[in-house]
Amino acid sequence: MTYMSAQIQFLECRLCLIHIPLPLYPHFVQAILSLILPLSPVSPDGEGRDSNDSEPEDDDDDESVVPDYPSPNRPSSSIKDFVNISVTPVECSVVCSRESVEKWFAPIIKTLETSHRGDVMIASEEFMAIQVDGEGLDAGQRVLDLTSPLALAGVSIFFITTYFSDYILVPSTARSHVTKALQRRGFVFEKHTEAFVTPHHRSSSTSSNLTIQPPSPPPTTTLSDLQTRTFDALQKQNVTPIVNKSTRLILCAARRSFSKGRGGGDDRGLYLGLVKCLISRPQFLSVTLTDAEPASLLLQKEMLSMFGNDDVLLGSKEDVLIPIVLDLRGLPVDSTGIVCGVAGKLVGGTSGTYFDKSEAVEMSYLSTARAGTVIVAEDDLSRAVEALGLSLS
């Protein structure tokens, strides 16, 4: 085991997964803003409004104002334990509470043309998030170590790397399977803290096509077999990596957690930047919000200027990352072992031999509703693609 001191804990939240085709993204921008805007909404000119302010005047010629602000009277608890909004070349994917889906997204789906309503898919299965403190751990090996016991147990997962932590989304019904799988791998469950630690520390819903089945034993018992099965499935569906070298990403985070009152002056630059990013129809963007940590962002480097001065965001602005996007729309949504299989092949395929001391490619991973994205340093891109054995499209 590679962990020296890592804590894994369940977040007690009921999460829902949404797939939005990119052509329909503009219809849902307002719903997405409703998930992240503070109690006093912020317009792109940096000015907030409170409940005593009048509505902004209509001005069709002024594109700098976001129309139809979310109600300033909505509860400050609208950001639950976990929210992820990701825009990739494949889709827009949203993870949020079932309550938020019913409040913000379901009404918009009803307004779509009948021919498009079925294109937006909301998972009928509810998910729970597992938070992993990843500080100081080898990134690629961490992904492999965390996902392999769950893959071998037949548990379908979604994996999201953020600036501070990793998050694993698992079906709520699979909690006992997850617990047993991690225990068998050496993690210890402490019932009084609802957390795993390493041995070192001894529903109403909109119907959709995204249906997760209960976990079942996979037809393999080794990581090698799992990798083979994963890449056989990818090749059978003609999945090739989508790589655009001009999509240069930066992983960063807000300098502080969201204020309880929502919309404090110190948060304004963050909210304003997020609004600008989301309404710009980004090519690639992932935002993760939790109650426990500051916001984490994976965004195109050119978007950094939307956040104004350097006091808003943490992180190196020079460590450029390139996404390798796998379009998984041809695979069942409950496919198991994809993250583990990809991570295993990448780590194993780039690790040096006795004579070659080169280190494995450092990777992170972003699961979205119908895609998987491997994220590597710009200098490691060629080595990563070669190791994955998938020809560039």
Side-chain angles (χ1 to χ4, degrees):
M1 179 158 315
T2 61
Y3 300 107
M4 295 304 293
S5 58
Q7 180 169 307
I8 302 180
Q9 59 182 335
F10 283 105
L11 301 183
E12 297 301 330
C13 48
R14 299 165 56 225
L15 300 175
C16 190
L17 181 66
I18 311 172
H19 161 75
I20 302 172
L22 291 179
L24 297 180
Y25 173 76
H27 294 276
F28 292 90
V29 169
Q30 191 58 44
I32 291 170
L33 293 178
S34 299
L35 288 177
I36 67 170
L37 283 177
L39 186 60
S40 298
V42 178
S43 64
D45 61 6
E47 297 299 326
R49 292 193 298 114
D50 58 38
S51 58
N52 296 320
D53 290 339
S54 60
E55 294 292 322
E57 296 181 2
D58 292 334
D59 187 350
D60 294 337
D61 296 327
D62 185 1
E63 296 182 355
S64 66
V65 177
V66 180
D68 301 326
Y69 288 96
S71 169
N73 296 317
R74 66 188 179 91
S76 62
S77 61
S78 60
I79 295 180
K80 297 293 186 182
D81 295 310
F82 187 91
V83 170
N84 177 265
I85 302 154
S86 295
V87 181
T88 73
V90 172
E91 65 181 334
C92 172
S93 174
V94 178
V95 180
C96 63
S97 68
R98 178 72 64 178
E99 176 188 44
S100 295
V101 170
E102 299 296 342
K103 184 173 184 179
W104 304 114
F105 292 86
I108 294 177
I109 294 175
K110 294 178 182 178
T111 68
L112 297 175
E113 295 181 8
T114 304
S115 59
H116 291 314
R117 291 178 190 174
D119 296 336
V120 179
M121 295 183 290
I122 301 177
S124 57
E125 177 73 61
E126 287 187 347
F127 296 84
M128 61 190 311
I130 304 172
Q131 181 181 358
V132 183
D133 174 16
E135 184 177 359
L137 301 178
D138 178 79
Q141 190 66 45
R142 180 175 71 248
V143 176
L144 181 59
D145 285 350
L146 288 169
T147 60
S148 58
L150 301 180
L152 293 174
V155 178
S156 177
I157 70 166
F158 294 86
F159 194 96
I160 299 174
T161 301
T162 73
Y163 187 87
F164 296 102
S165 303
D166 292 317
Y167 293 90
I168 306 172
L169 272 58
V170 299
S172 297
T173 54
R175 181 166 184 156
S176 62
H177 295 270
V178 171
T179 301
K180 293 175 182 177
L182 292 176
Q183 285 176 331
R184 286 195 297 266
R185 189 60 175 260
F187 294 98
V188 178
F189 182 56
E190 295 185 347
K191 291 184 173 59
H192 65 283
T193 62
E194 284 286 290
F196 285 100
V197 295
T198 65
H200 264 298
H201 282 285
R202 276 323 225 202
S203 71
S204 66
S205 66
T206 303
S207 62
S208 72
N209 297 324
L210 288 179
T211 302
I212 311 296
Q213 300 298 326
S216 58
T220 182
T221 57
T222 69
L223 291 179
S224 177
D225 289 344
L226 184 62
Q227 289 179 34
T228 299
R229 190 185 68 180
T230 295
F231 281 84
D232 284 347
L234 295 178
Q235 291 174 4
K236 184 176 297 184
Q237 293 297 326
N238 296 317
V239 175
T240 56
I242 302 171
V243 179
N244 184 344
K245 295 182 181 179
S246 65
T247 304
R248 306 172 77 241
L249 306 179
I250 300 295
L251 179 61
C252 52
R255 288 190 176 273
R256 61 190 300 274
S257 298
F258 285 95
S259 60
K260 291 296 183 183
R262 301 286 192 260
D266 292 340
D267 288 332
R268 182 167 295 170
L270 175 66
Y271 292 126
L272 175 58
L274 289 175
V275 170
K276 288 182 176 180
C277 288
L278 289 164
I279 66 176
S280 70
R281 298 191 68 171
Q283 184 179 41
F284 199 105
L285 173 68
S286 183
V287 180
T288 303
L289 310 175
T290 74
D291 288 343
E293 296 178 336
S296 177
L297 294 82
L298 181 65
L299 74 167
Q300 294 164 245
K301 186 172 183 178
E302 57 266 29
M303 289 182 174
L304 291 173
S305 61
M306 296 182 180
F307 292 86
N309 62 58
D310 293 335
D311 292 337
V312 176
L313 299 176
L314 289 169
S316 170
K317 311 304 190 292
E318 304 303 323
D319 293 338
V320 173
L321 305 170
I322 304 293
I324 304 173
V325 183
L326 302 176
D327 185 344
L328 304 178
R329 285 176 289 185
L331 296 177
V333 70
D334 59 345
S335 297
T336 59
I338 300 295
V339 183
C340 176
V342 170
K345 191 162 186 177
L346 184 56
V347 171
T350 59
S351 298
T353 63
Y354 179 81
F355 299 101
D356 176 10
K357 300 300 183 182
S358 59
E359 295 183 354
V361 165
E362 287 287 304
M363 64 160 284
S364 54
Y365 198 92
L366 172 65
S367 293
T368 54
R370 305 301 287 125
T373 301
V374 180
I375 303 156
V376 299
E378 188 173 29
D379 293 341
D380 288 333
L381 177 61
S382 297
R383 202 155 58 105
V385 171
E386 181 181 0
L388 291 175
L390 298 172
S391 300
L392 289 174
S393 57

